[in-house]
């Protein structure tokens, strides 16, 4: 599994690029991947078509667009590019426009780049590191930040819910759960322990028998993170959600799966909720499970709030 620094070499970084509009911005990112042997020119057209068909859901955070398309023959090897714009451009996103950074991904499958996406999500979610990336004077300096050659110093994380307990259907493992916290959350007052009725019932198919010896097998709840293709923005959101679940101590009870819109409709019955962008939520429509909108896929504070709303804690 490749690291971020391997998928995003210095040669794939361009700073202070001028682009007339969002199509031109994606074209620059696509051209970099062509020049480094990652894709053919057809993939750039596929990235543009993805936005035309699914809307500007690729704008995952304020000022940040994550351009990508489905794995296809136009992808020669998994890789990325990074384009920092001299002037911001509009992608048409309701809350995250205008865009000053376009990160492009070409993936041969949905697995090879997962660790790189986790690393990138953490970097962009840390204000100090994001600021360093925004002001790096050269591609080499920016690559050094991406490679972790700078100490991260993000804000204090939100506290988990007071008396945080696992979902009710995981009660057999409650003794292995986290200890109670009496402090208030950084984003919301700490609620008391949730009532069993506050948790949605998972699908029977997604509820294997609990076993104290196998805590991961007893992960009774599933949350789907959804994007147009299942290989890009949904992985960003998955990584952010997993950070919050880890902080709460709920990771053994709630699993997260990144998927695309078509697969999500078939898998919705297995989940307690679907987390996605506003644009993809409109595409999904009514899937028989709550569809929760997240505006900033890199914000643990926002995802913490959405998760609290999902479980009414």
């Amino acid at each position: 599994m490749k690291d971020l620094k391997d998928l995003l070499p210095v040669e794939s970084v361009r700073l202070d690029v001028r682009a007339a509009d969002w199509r031109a911005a994606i074209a620059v990112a696509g051209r970099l991947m062509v020049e480094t042997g990652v894709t053919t020119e057809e993939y750039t057209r596929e990235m543009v078509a993805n936005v035309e068909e699914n809307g500007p859901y690729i704008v995952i955070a304020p000022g940040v667009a994550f351009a990508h398309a489905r794995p296809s023959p136009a992808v020669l090897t998994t890789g990325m590019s990074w384009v920092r714009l001299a002037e911001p451009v509009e992608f048409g996103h309701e809350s995250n426009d205008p865009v000053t950074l376009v990160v492009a991904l070409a993936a041969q499958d949905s697995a090879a780049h997962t660790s790189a996406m986790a690393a990138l999500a953490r970097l962009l979610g840390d204000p100090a590191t994001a600021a360093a990336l925004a002001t790096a004077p050269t591609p080499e300096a920016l690559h050094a930040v991406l490679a972790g050659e700078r100490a991260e110093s993000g804000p204090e994380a939100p506290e988990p819910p007071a008396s945080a307990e696992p979902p009710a259907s995981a009660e057999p493992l409650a003794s292995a759960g986290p200890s109670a916290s009496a402090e208030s959350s950084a984003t919301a007052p700490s609620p008391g322990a949730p009532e069993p009725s506050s948790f949605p019932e998972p699908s029977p198919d997604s509820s294997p028998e609990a076993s104290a010896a196998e805590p991961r097998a007893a992960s009774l709840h599933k949350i789907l993170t959804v994007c147009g293709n299942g290989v890009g923005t949904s992985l960003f959101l998955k990584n952010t959600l997993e950070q919050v679940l880890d902080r709460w101590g709920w990771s053994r009870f709630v699993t997260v799966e990144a998927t695309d819109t078509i697969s999500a409709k078939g898998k919705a019955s297995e989940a307690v909720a679907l987390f996605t962008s506003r644009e993809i939520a409109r595409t999904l429509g009514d899937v028989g499970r709550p569809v929760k909108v997240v505006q900033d896929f890199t914000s643990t504070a926002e995802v913490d709030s959405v998760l609290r709303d999902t479980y009414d804690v």
Side-chain angles (χ1 to χ4, degrees):
M1 190 173 291
K2 295 183 178 180
D3 293 329
L4 181 59
K5 65 180 183 297
D6 299 320
L7 293 178
L8 191 57
V10 174
E11 295 77 15
S12 296
V13 177
R14 290 290 185 275
L15 304 180
D16 304 323
V17 174
R18 295 193 177 277
D21 55 24
W22 68 264
R23 289 182 176 83
I26 291 178
V28 175
R31 185 163 60 250
L32 284 173
M33 293 196 292
V34 172
E35 292 173 355
T36 53
V38 172
T39 68
T40 68
E41 293 181 356
E42 177 59 27
Y43 188 74
T44 302
R45 291 188 283 271
E46 291 172 0
M47 289 193 294
V48 171
N50 182 38
V51 178
E52 292 174 339
E53 294 169 9
N54 296 304
Y57 78 93
I58 66 166
V59 186
I60 60 171
V64 180
F66 191 67
H68 64 287
R70 293 181 181 276
S72 77
V75 178
L76 306 178
T77 186
T78 298
M80 301 173 66
S81 65
W82 182 287
V83 177
R84 194 175 72 195
L85 300 173
E87 299 291 340
V89 299
E90 300 281 339
F91 273 64
H93 195 280
E94 293 181 9
S95 59
N96 291 337
D97 266 349
V99 168
T100 55
L101 172 64
V102 178
V103 181
L105 166 73
Q108 288 185 308
D109 56 51
S110 60
H113 59 293
T114 52
S115 65
M117 292 300 96
L120 186 56
R122 288 192 296 270
L123 290 172
L124 293 177
D126 176 68
T129 306
L133 293 170
T135 57
T138 65
E140 290 78 12
L142 186 141
H143 196 261
V145 178
L146 292 176
E149 297 175 19
R150 179 184 182 280
E152 295 182 18
S153 57
E156 293 185 4
E159 291 291 329
S163 303
E165 293 181 356
S169 58
E171 283 182 345
L173 294 178
S175 60
S179 60
S181 169
E183 295 181 3
S184 296
S185 166
T187 57
S190 295
E195 295 294 329
S197 61
S198 67
F199 296 102
E201 289 295 325
S203 166
D205 293 338
S206 62
S207 300
E209 292 183 2
S211 168
E214 297 180 325
R216 178 57 62 181
S219 299
L220 301 180
H221 283 201
K222 178 189 289 186
I223 295 176
L224 300 178
T225 59
V226 188
C227 73
N229 302 292
V231 297
T233 58
S234 59
L235 283 174
F236 259 90
L237 185 52
K238 175 180 185 289
N239 290 316
T240 305
L241 176 54
E242 286 177 338
Q243 290 180 55
V244 175
L245 289 169
D246 286 343
R247 195 171 296 145
W248 285 22
W250 282 19
S251 295
R252 73 185 66 196
F253 308 108
V254 183
T255 60
V256 185
E257 180 181 343
T259 189
D260 61 274
T261 50
I262 296 174
S263 300
K265 293 179 180 180
K267 295 178 178 179
S269 62
E270 304 170 7
V272 295
L274 292 76
F275 285 22
T276 189
S277 66
R278 191 175 305 279
E279 293 80 10
I280 297 300
R282 294 189 186 113
T283 300
L284 286 171
D286 184 1
V287 293
R289 289 290 189 269
V291 177
K292 301 291 186 176
V293 170
V294 178
Q295 299 284 8
D296 184 348
F297 283 19
T298 67
S299 172
T300 54
E302 182 179 355
V303 172
D304 180 281
S305 177
V306 174
L307 191 62
R308 288 170 184 271
D309 180 68
T310 301
Y311 281 100
D312 193 22
V313 297

